[in-house]
Amino acid sequence: MTPSYLLAIDAGTQSVRALLFDLQGHLVDKAQVPITSYQSPQPGWMECAPDAFWQHLCQAAQRLWANTRVPKAALAGVVLTTQRAVPVALDAAGQALRPSMIWLDHRRAAHAPRLPWWWELAFGAIGMRATLRHFQREAEANWIAQHQPDLWARTAHYLLLPGYLHWRLCGRMVDAVANQVGYVPFDYKKGRWAGAHDWKWHALPVTRAMLPELVPAGTVIGSISAQAAQDSGIPAGLPLVAGAADKACEVLGAGCLTPEIGCLSYGTAATFNTCTARYREVTPFIPPYQAAVPGHYNTEVQITRGFWMVRWFKEQFGQHEEKEALARGVAPESLFDALVGAVPPGAQGLMLQPFWNPGIKWPGPEAKGAIIGFGDVHTRAHMYRAILEGLAYALREAKERTERRTGVPITRLRVSGGGSQSDAAMQITANVFNLPCERPHLYETSGLGAAIIASVGLGLHPDYASAVRAMARTGQVFTPEPAHARTYEQLYRRVYQRMYERLQPLYRDIRAITGYPSHD
């Protein structure tokens, strides 16, 4: 039997999925295990034992084998894509020393040690000293070294989550260049660990010996070990291919290979991305990430609490729809879409700015979310629509910033992630951007992007352009409604774009009075 199927493991924030793809991009079978092992020892903390991620991966794979008719002999290889910025500290024997902090964790290092005077002078000269301090306080390695110094002294290996899972799968500490998103000493422009004299080695307690070998996406990094095969059911000896981070894989899986296509991800974090061969910082001094396609970059702008806000709304105000959907045997999303449809575009003047998490430069560290324009006509349906509209406004702002910095007009939009399954969200996005919004042919775009990487790495498709043509297609397209687009244009230009600047002084006062948001 000629191996013609690819196993993609997608370890996201909410679940781990084992996905079987063929070489035409069809999702043949799927198994999903929700991640229920997160812990919050203190308010704002969020962590998970690394071994729990491994157990979820094994459970997902075993469920897949129990329910698929595809024989294991038909598998050509396996590839991983995971949530980003989840570090794993291991001892010299490769055993995890502590739970991993998840990217949503709010804890901060207690202090930021000063760098050598020449670096302090350089950062001061370009007005980036506050950004440097933000980097140092956000870095999980600094928190561990300051609060658990004995444990840090035993740390021999410092990996991100995909590197750890590679270690468990094939026994090698190797990771993909396109997985390096987090507070690690990485050179985003050159796609390698930072040079010997880079400031990051002074800002972090990490040494080069702690870090894994880096390889380009698509590299075969090893084969599944006998122990991993026993645990997961993935065939021993199956090639393991280096993948890319989940957002990078989403961009690829949505078919976004060139910079005139904007890729919106409506996930827990909402992002606006393009893929380009040119290094361009959309936010000055904030680097683009390495793309899934080697030698390319993703010009990402992120709204950290993206469709997390939709989940929050459903948990706080959507019990009626959840109960009704269960009684009627329909998806809750369909009823929430009906909720949106009961309110006119613009939510009768209710405007939301979705900065539920502070930023670094835009928005700044003082930023908070805001909803303005309340009146006695407003209901929870208006609030729900305002959330969708506010996210679309923020991502349109990211699009325009990307166009200014790259000089490339964005003429097409692809929307992926869980939120893309909402027709209401898709139509609002088309109207706010006044551009057609294309939904990929399947929802699992991160897994599909990983499978595309594996197909090229294993020589099953000759190059990325060919693989995308064969495996990534456009599904439903939502076109702008001219009257609604005009309403959104005025609200965006005359209200939304002025909100943050007007509210920023008040956010600073809130932080000074209450201490929140804090970086300590």
Side-chain angles (χ1 to χ4, degrees), residues 122-131 285 361:
F123 276 96
I126 60 175
M128 292 293 292
R129 191 170 282 139
T131 301
F285 303 109
K361 290 182 68 68

Side-chain angles (χ1 to χ4, degrees), residues 182-448:
Y183 294 97
V184 289
F186 183 69
D187 185 327
Y188 288 95
K189 185 173 184 178
K190 295 180 179 178
R192 63 191 188 195
W193 294 126
H197 303 293
D198 194 287
W199 60 270
K200 296 183 188 74
W201 298 111
H202 300 286
L204 300 169
V206 178
T207 65
R208 176 63 186 87
M210 295 178 175
L211 299 169
E213 176 188 349
L214 292 183
V215 296
T219 303
V220 177
I221 59 176
S223 57
I224 300 302
S225 69
Q227 183 61 56
Q230 182 178 324
D231 292 343
S232 68
I234 301 172
L238 189 70
L240 176 62
V241 180
D246 55 2
K247 295 296 184 185
C249 283
E250 270 193 55
V251 175
L252 180 60
C256 301
L257 280 179
T258 49
E260 80 281 357
I261 306 175
C263 183
L264 287 76
S265 173
Y266 278 162
T268 304
T271 55
F272 186 90
N273 262 304
T274 65
C275 182
T276 175
R278 302 171 67 194
Y279 181 90
R280 286 290 180 271
E281 296 175 353
V282 172
T283 303
F285 303 109
I286 304 299
Y289 298 132
Q290 289 277 322
V293 180
H296 288 66
Y297 304 92
N298 288 153
T299 57
E300 180 172 307
V301 179
Q302 182 179 108
I303 311 300
T304 309
R305 295 289 189 176
F307 263 70
W308 172 91
M309 288 197 293
V310 170
R311 191 171 79 241
W312 168 83
F313 176 88
K314 291 176 180 179
E315 290 172 352
Q316 301 300 320
F317 305 107
Q319 293 91 342
H320 171 75
E321 282 74 23
E322 297 279 0
K323 188 181 298 184
E324 180 72 13
L326 186 62
R328 290 167 53 182
V330 299
E333 284 72 20
S334 64
L335 300 186
F336 284 106
D337 276 4
L339 202 64
V340 174
V343 174
Q348 292 184 282
L350 201 63
M351 296 285 290
L352 180 139
Q353 175 191 273
F355 299 157
W356 257 239
N357 263 28
I360 302 174
K361 290 182 68 68
W362 184 270
E366 79 295 323
K368 296 178 73 68
I371 307 176
I372 64 171
F374 274 109
D376 59 6
V377 300
H378 291 130
T379 66
R380 63 197 183 93
H382 291 82
M383 181 182 289
Y384 187 59
R385 184 171 191 116
I387 288 172
L388 298 180
E389 291 175 345
L391 285 169
Y393 289 139
L395 291 168
R396 174 174 167 176
E397 194 169 60
K399 167 190 174 284
E400 294 176 355
R401 203 184 336 156
T402 301
E403 290 174 321
R404 287 194 300 271
R405 297 291 296 184
T406 64
V408 178
I410 293 165
T411 57
R412 300 175 65 185
L413 296 178
R414 302 263 170 82
V415 187
S416 61
S420 69
Q421 300 310 290
S422 163
D423 287 357
M426 292 293 293
Q427 189 60 59
I428 286 171
T429 304
N431 289 337
V432 167
F433 281 78
N434 198 20
L435 282 173
C437 280
E438 304 170 1
R439 180 188 281 159
H441 78 280
L442 56 76
Y443 161 64
E444 296 285 2
T445 44
S446 287
L448 177 59

Side-chain angles (χ1 to χ4, degrees), residues 52-97:
F53 286 116
W54 172 247
Q55 296 301 328
H56 290 316
L57 183 157
C58 293
Q59 290 166 17
Q62 294 284 13
R63 286 186 189 179
L64 181 70
W65 310 133
N67 293 287
T68 184
R69 294 183 178 180
V70 175
K72 293 181 181 182
L75 292 177
V78 59
V79 61
L80 293 181
T81 182
T82 78
Q83 59 176 301
R84 306 182 299 186
V86 178
V88 181
L90 305 176
D91 65 15
Q95 297 297 310
L97 288 166

Side-chain angles (χ1 to χ4, degrees), residues 7-19 30-39 46-65 80-83 86 100 102 161 164-165 168-169 228 231-234:
L7 172 61
I9 304 291
D10 186 349
T13 304
Q14 298 180 49
S15 67
V16 177
R17 298 183 294 284
L19 309 163
K30 167 182 174 179
Q32 184 167 356
V33 175
I35 298 176
T36 58
S37 48
Y38 291 130
Q39 302 291 326
M46 188 174 179
E47 59 187 29
C48 183
D51 187 63
F53 286 116
W54 172 247
Q55 296 301 328
H56 290 316
L57 183 157
C58 293
Q59 290 166 17
Q62 294 284 13
R63 286 186 189 179
L64 181 70
W65 310 133
L80 293 181
T81 182
T82 78
Q83 59 176 301
V86 178
S100 292
I102 306 306
L161 178 59
Y164 170 72
L165 294 176
R168 296 297 299 264
L169 283 166
D231 292 343
S232 68
I234 301 172

